[in-house]
């Protein structure tokens, strides 16, 4: 059905059902959209993460006409929907006790039913937010957390929302009893943490036995030292979480930072994250914090600018995203109403400073439980445009190709059953010239492009962005905002380069999938997708999914340093006599295995040796058959992404709880709702948000004046 024209019109409704990572591991996806064994059959969808509790309902999926899923719901959360969400919160300890006591006290109070509903909604939001923050910081949910919740609720109820008077709150607060902290056995806590971390060490991939033994010995030594310091009063720990944070940080510093025994990527995969939950800015302009430092940097960056304007920008920046925010405001003021298309351009140093300004502004909004400032999307749009300009100045190696597509159609396809059921016969499919681009609008020129430096070392650092090693948009609850934003930044860079390379309007290109992919020596999975595997069989992306029109792979590790083997290989028909590149000399393959000789027979293999920060971008048709050779040692990390030119039917936006953004405030809310809410979701909730993000990608990544095709603007 998906390969028919009617099926492609509905792809935006049903695609998410085939995204394996949007469902629990024990539940297979109800719809398969890929050939058996094909490279991306189990890949997670690009769009997946929790929606915001601030100003947006999560979408509700209901059965529509002809069994199609529709998204229903209002623009704003109702108190009932928030309270319902609260029933799924997995809270513990003192926060639960306080929440239940406040709910009981509110129910017995004299507030109106409408106010009671709103008060309970605020209670749900505030409790969950505090619980999430404590967990991400490795802190305990004890009496101090309970007192913090009570204080925050008072501010929300009395000062900000003014739903209760001081007297009413005093009556409620007087009924709250906070349990005393349970006794803490330091020795038992250290033993439990030691056991947990030893289990994580055993999960390290690509680390030899000698280094594993050294890691275990270091853990034992640090555990004993920590226990002695706690019992001696040198460490005032009162919870297992504090012990975990301390041991994790010390072990990471010794094994990864100082001795380099464990690679960053291996640590991140085994332990889930690096000890610091707030990714450190990698130095330079990003590390500038105080207003005085910001002022000095602004004078250096804008020597011709009036000092009073610099002072105003520096002052404003302290309430938002620091130096990056100040740079953005100065550039915007210079350009006036022209917006970010004026003559002043950001260099790479300033671009990164603005990006980290966005991160700070997002983190501040989350801490204060406030909506995102409209400066956030405006700054991101500026960063995306600058990134593209910088990329155009870097080296690019392009090979132009003749577009190819299957020559067999209709009844003739019966002759190609071997190809359908045997992936090894993929190269034998009869082809003809031309671009299939089913239901899309592709360029009629095909190519493959190699970027030796698509991203800088700082942009893909697994120390700064630890979750990059295993990221899917389907589950962002525990992923730092900096990593989410950086991942979107890199995918958007690919999208813009595709538009530039193939002369396509940016609005006509949308991502269908993007995720982190791990290849591990010794594993047996041969397909693609988000799971582990040692290699990827020969395939064509557009054969895997008819909506894949352009593809990219970006690399987070280096061959020869982080792993052995694992070449990305373009597999083409060998040139025939008279063709360019033909040679009478035959390659000596006598030393190769019979299987390898058969693989090379009649083929021309063009390997690419991955390095950190490099990328390949290519048309997804049969002119670019490719494979990944088996990893023989270590771990190889990559970020594949796939893009379509299939248009989204306008009617599908009408089925959303909130349609296309019409104001910059709407764009800011979409960023929060679709990517930055850090909320737990059911598989169906994730599917709904994934689908919405996919359809709205262009709308959130560009200014309002670029949302429509030229003929519809104005």
């Amino acid at each position: 059905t998906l390969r028919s024209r009617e099926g492609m019109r509905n792809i935006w409704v049903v695609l998410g059902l085939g995204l394996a990572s949007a469902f629990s591991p024990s539940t297979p996806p109800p719809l398969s959209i890929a050939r058996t064994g094909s490279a991306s059959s189990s890949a997670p969808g690009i769009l997946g993460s929790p929606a915001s509790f601030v100003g947006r309902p999560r979408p509700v999926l209901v059965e529509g006409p002809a069994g199609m899923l529709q998204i229903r719901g209002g623009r704003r959360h109702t108190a009932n929907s928030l309270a319902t969400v609260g029933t799924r919160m997995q809270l513990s300890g003192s926060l639960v006790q306080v929440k239940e006591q406040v709910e009981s006290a509110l129910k017995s109070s004299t507030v109106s039913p409408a106010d009671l509903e709103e008060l309970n909604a605020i209670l749900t939001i505030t409790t969950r937010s505090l619980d999430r923050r404590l967990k991400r910081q490795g802190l305990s949910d004890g009496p101090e957390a309970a007192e913090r919740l009570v204080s925050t609720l008072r501010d929300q109820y009395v000062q900000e929302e003014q739903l209760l008077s001081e007297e009413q709150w005093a009556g409620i607060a007087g009924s709250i009893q906070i349990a005393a902290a349970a006794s803490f056995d330091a020795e038992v806590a250290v033993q439990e943490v030691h056991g947990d971390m030893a289990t994580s060490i055993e999960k390290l991939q690509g680390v030899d036995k000698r280094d594993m033994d050294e890691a275990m010995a270091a853990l034992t030594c640090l555990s004993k030292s920590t226990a002695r310091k706690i019992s001696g009063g040198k460490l005032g720990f009162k919870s297992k979480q504090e012990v975990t944070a301390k041991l994790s940080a010390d072990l990471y510093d010794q094994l990864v930072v100082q001795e380099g025994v464990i690679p960053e990527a291996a640590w991140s995969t085994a332990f889930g994250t690096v000890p610091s939950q707030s990714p450190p800015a990698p130095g330079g302009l990003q590390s500038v914090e105080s207003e005085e430092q910001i002022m000095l940097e602004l004078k250096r960056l804008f020597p011709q600018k009036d000092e009073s304007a610099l002072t105003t920008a520096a002052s404003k920046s302290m309430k938002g995203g620091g130096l990056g925010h100040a740079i953005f405001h100065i550039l915007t003021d210079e350009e006036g109403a022209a917006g970010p298309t004026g003559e002043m351009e950001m260099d790479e140093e300033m671009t990164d400073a603005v990006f980290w300004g966005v991160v700070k502004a997002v983190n501040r909004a989350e801490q204060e439980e406030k909506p995102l400032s409209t400066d956030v999307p405006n700054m991101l749009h500026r960063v995306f445009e600058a990134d593209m300009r910088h990329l155009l100045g870097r080296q690019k190696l392009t090979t132009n190709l003749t577009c190819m597509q299957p020559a067999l159609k209709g009844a003739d396809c019966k002759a190609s059953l071997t190809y359908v059921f045997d992936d090894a016969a993929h190269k034998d499919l009869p082809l003809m010239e031309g671009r299939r681009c089913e239901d899309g609008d592709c360029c009629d020129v095909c190519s493959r492009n190699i970027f030796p430096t698509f991203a800088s070392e700082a942009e893909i650092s697994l120390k700064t962005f630890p979750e990059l090693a295993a990221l899917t948009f389907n589950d962002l609850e525990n992923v730092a905002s900096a990593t989410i934003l950086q991942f979107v930044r890199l995918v958007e860079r690919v999208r813009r380069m595709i538009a530039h390379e193939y002369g396509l309007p940016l609005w006509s290109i949308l991502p269908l999938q993007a995720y982190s992919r791990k290849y591990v020596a010794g594993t047996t999975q041969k397909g693609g997708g988000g799971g582990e595997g040692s290699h990827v069989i020969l395939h064509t992306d557009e054969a895997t999914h008819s909506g894949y029109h352009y593809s990219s792979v970006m690399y987070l590790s280096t061959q020869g340093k982080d792993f052995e083997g694992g070449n990305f290989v373009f597999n083409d028909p060998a040139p025939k006599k008279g063709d360019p590149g033909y040679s009478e000399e035959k390659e000596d393959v006598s030393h190769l295995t019979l299987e390898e000789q058969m693989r090379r027979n009649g083929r021309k293999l063009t390997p690419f040796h991955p390095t950190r920060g490099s990328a390949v971008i290519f048309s997804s048709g049969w002119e670019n058959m490719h494979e990944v050779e088996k990893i023989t040692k270590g771990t190889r990390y990559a970020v594949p992404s796939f893009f379509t030119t299939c248009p989204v039917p306008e009617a599908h936006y009408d089925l959303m709880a909130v349609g296309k953004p019409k104001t910059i405030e709407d764009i800011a809310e979409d960023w929060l709702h679709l990517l930055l809410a850090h909320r737990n979701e059911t598989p169906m909730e994730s599917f709904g948000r994934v689908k919405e993000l996919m359809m709205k990608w262009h709308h959130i990544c560009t200014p309002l004046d670029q949302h429509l095709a030229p003929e519809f603007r104005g």
Side-chain angles (χ1 to χ4, degrees):
T1 303
L2 288 175
R3 292 189 181 278
S4 69
R5 184 166 296 274
E6 180 65 27
M8 280 308 299
R9 291 195 189 102
N10 295 335
I11 188 174
W12 299 103
V13 174
V14 301
L15 177 59
L17 294 175
L19 307 179
S21 66
F23 295 84
S24 60
S26 60
T27 305
L31 174 65
S32 174
I33 55 176
R35 291 189 302 114
T36 302
S38 57
S40 301
S41 59
S42 61
I46 182 167
L47 316 174
S49 149
S52 169
F53 276 99
V54 181
R56 176 72 74 87
R58 68 171 58 140
V60 177
L61 293 172
V62 298
E63 193 75 11
M68 293 175 60
L69 291 174
Q70 299 182 3
I71 300 179
R72 297 297 187 195
R75 169 170 277 274
R76 301 290 171 185
H77 264 307
T78 64
N80 281 335
S81 67
L82 288 170
T84 301
V85 172
T87 64
R88 291 193 293 270
M89 295 190 303
Q90 297 180 351
L91 304 179
S92 58
S94 299
L95 293 184
V96 168
Q97 296 173 10
V98 171
K99 181 176 183 292
E100 291 175 348
Q101 292 177 63
V102 172
E103 285 175 336
S104 178
L106 287 173
K107 188 175 181 180
S108 303
S109 67
T110 59
V111 298
S112 67
D115 285 348
L116 177 61
E117 194 175 33
E118 185 67 18
L119 289 165
N120 281 326
I122 293 173
L123 175 61
T124 297
I125 296 171
T126 306
T127 307
R128 186 190 184 285
S129 174
L130 179 57
D131 178 71
R132 183 180 70 237
R133 202 171 305 149
L134 291 171
K135 289 177 179 177
R136 295 177 72 189
Q137 295 173 358
L139 302 178
S140 61
D141 174 11
E144 293 182 1
E147 292 172 358
R148 183 174 172 186
L149 175 59
V150 172
S151 175
T152 304
L153 287 173
R154 177 196 173 278
D155 292 341
Q156 291 275 346
Y157 286 165
V158 179
Q159 295 184 349
E160 295 192 19
E161 302 297 334
Q162 297 181 359
L163 293 170
L164 296 177
S165 66
E166 287 284 3
E167 292 75 16
Q168 287 174 309
W169 171 251
I172 293 172
S175 66
I176 299 174
Q177 296 181 352
I178 299 176
S183 58
F184 173 65
D185 190 323
E187 184 175 349
V188 172
V190 172
Q191 289 177 353
E192 291 177 351
V193 174
H194 179 279
D196 294 342
M197 297 186 69
T199 301
S200 295
I201 288 176
E202 293 172 352
K203 296 178 180 178
L204 289 168
Q205 300 284 354
V207 178
D208 58 36
K209 186 178 185 303
R210 183 181 62 181
D211 290 341
M212 293 269 276
D213 292 342
E214 183 175 340
M216 286 292 190
L219 174 61
T220 300
C221 181
L222 288 171
S223 297
K224 293 179 178 179
S225 174
T226 301
R228 286 195 301 269
K229 291 178 180 178
I230 295 175
S231 60
K234 293 183 179 180
L235 292 174
F237 293 164
K238 298 180 180 179
S239 69
K240 180 180 175 181
Q241 290 95 328
E242 292 173 304
V243 176
T244 301
K246 171 66 174 173
L247 265 181
S248 179
D250 289 348
L251 191 65
Y252 177 86
D253 184 64
Q254 179 175 333
L255 297 178
V256 180
V257 178
Q258 296 183 22
E259 299 178 4
V261 174
I262 307 298
E264 290 179 9
W267 174 284
S268 179
T269 302
F271 286 82
T273 183
V274 298
S276 173
Q277 291 294 327
S278 296
L285 293 182
Q286 299 92 317
S287 61
V288 175
E289 295 289 346
S290 70
E291 187 171 348
E292 293 76 13
Q293 291 177 315
I294 291 175
M295 187 65 184
L296 289 173
E297 288 298 336
L298 291 178
K299 288 181 178 180
R300 179 179 69 84
L301 294 169
F302 303 98
Q304 307 301 322
K305 191 70 176 175
D306 180 76
E307 185 166 341
S308 62
L310 299 181
T311 302
T312 301
S315 178
K316 289 181 179 179
S317 70
M318 298 308 295
K319 299 180 181 180
L323 177 61
H325 217 154
I327 292 173
F328 169 76
H329 280 299
I330 290 174
L331 293 174
T332 303
D333 290 343
E334 281 285 332
E335 295 159 1
T341 58
E343 295 182 358
M344 295 194 67
E345 295 181 347
M346 299 188 296
D347 59 19
E348 293 191 27
E349 183 185 35
M350 293 170 66
T351 303
D352 284 339
V354 173
F355 171 79
W356 284 101
V358 171
V359 173
K360 290 179 181 178
V362 170
N363 289 340
R364 183 187 292 269
E366 182 176 15
Q367 291 167 5
E368 298 177 356
E369 293 293 329
K370 293 181 178 179
L372 288 184
S373 163
T374 56
D375 282 346
V376 167
N378 281 327
M379 292 167 72
L380 284 169
H381 299 160
R382 189 65 183 256
V383 168
F384 298 156
E385 291 171 356
D387 281 348
M388 182 60 193
R389 188 172 61 253
H390 302 151
L391 182 59
L392 291 175
R394 299 174 190 166
Q395 184 181 18
K396 175 173 72 78
L397 307 174
T398 298
T399 302
N400 291 318
L401 304 169
T402 299
C403 300
M404 303 299 292
Q405 60 178 313
L408 300 176
K409 296 183 179 180
D412 292 336
C413 287
K414 293 180 180 180
S416 66
L417 286 179
T418 300
Y419 159 74
V420 173
F421 292 107
D422 183 4
D423 289 294
H426 186 86
K427 64 181 184 298
D428 301 325
L429 179 70
L431 301 176
M432 63 181 183
E433 294 186 7
R435 190 78 160 94
R436 170 173 282 187
C437 191
E438 190 166 326
D439 289 319
D441 188 15
C442 301
C443 173
D444 57 3
V445 174
C446 296
S447 68
R448 58 185 67 149
N449 306 273
I450 295 174
F451 296 82
T453 311
F454 184 82
S456 68
E457 183 69 28
E459 289 177 326
I460 57 171
S461 167
L462 295 181
K463 183 176 180 180
T464 306
F465 308 106
E467 303 91 345
L468 276 183
L471 191 147
T472 164
F473 280 118
N474 292 88
D475 183 9
L476 298 178
E477 181 182 10
N478 297 311
V479 181
S481 295
T483 305
I484 298 171
L485 291 166
Q486 183 66 5
F487 194 79
V488 172
R489 180 184 180 186
L490 293 170
V491 174
E492 178 64 7
R493 190 179 303 176
V494 174
R495 188 174 79 102
R496 290 176 182 245
M497 178 49 70
I498 289 172
H500 173 83
E501 176 66 22
Y502 297 100
L504 298 171
L506 185 59
W507 52 264
S508 70
I509 304 170
L510 293 175
L512 283 185
Q513 288 185 329
Y515 52 91
S516 298
R517 173 78 163 90
K518 182 171 72 171
Y519 303 80
V520 182
T523 53
T524 57
Q525 178 182 325
K526 67 178 181 178
E532 296 181 8
S534 62
H535 65 290
V536 176
I537 56 177
L538 179 65
H539 66 283
T540 295
D541 289 338
E542 197 169 348
T544 299
H545 191 304
S546 61
Y548 290 170
H549 298 155
Y550 296 96
S551 306
S552 171
V553 185
M554 184 180 65
Y555 297 96
L556 306 180
S557 48
T558 297
Q559 187 184 59
K561 178 181 179 182
D562 303 307
F563 65 92
E564 300 292 342
N567 281 324
F568 179 95
V569 180
F570 286 110
N571 189 320
D572 304 308
K576 298 179 181 179
K577 191 171 184 178
D579 292 343
Y582 174 78
S583 174
E584 294 287 351
E585 296 183 10
K586 301 299 181 182
E587 180 185 9
D588 181 12
V589 296
S590 59
H591 61 289
L592 301 176
T593 65
L594 178 60
E595 180 183 10
E596 183 63 17
Q597 291 182 38
M598 294 177 62
R599 172 182 171 236
R600 293 171 179 256
N601 183 40
R603 309 299 293 179
K604 176 186 177 183
L605 305 185
T606 306
F608 173 69
H609 308 288
T611 57
R612 281 177 59 82
S614 64
V616 291
I617 297 177
F618 51 96
S619 49
S620 304
W622 285 257
E623 69 281 348
N624 275 317
M625 291 186 187
H626 57 279
E627 58 194 319
V628 176
E629 295 178 336
K630 185 173 293 186
I631 306 294
T632 58
K633 181 180 179 181
T635 304
R636 174 187 187 268
Y637 292 95
V639 178
S641 52
F642 307 92
F643 299 79
T644 188
T645 61
C646 293
V648 180
E650 286 296 317
H652 287 215
Y653 290 106
D654 298 334
L655 298 178
M656 296 179 181
V658 180
K660 292 180 180 179
K662 297 180 175 59
T663 66
I664 188 63
E665 289 80 11
D666 291 343
I667 297 178
E669 189 179 342
D670 275 334
W671 272 97
L672 190 59
H673 166 67
L674 298 172
L675 288 162
L676 300 168
H678 293 113
R679 188 183 69 200
N680 182 268
E681 291 177 305
T682 67
M684 287 303 289
E685 289 164 347
S686 174
F687 156 59
R689 183 187 42 72
V690 165
K691 172 175 173 267
E692 185 176 351
L693 175 58
M694 183 189 308
M695 296 167 67
K696 286 185 174 180
W697 186 276
H698 179 75
H699 298 90
I700 69 172
C701 290
T702 58
L704 284 166
D705 62 0
Q706 297 181 28
H707 285 189
L708 295 176
E711 58 267 26
F712 297 115
R713 294 178 188 169

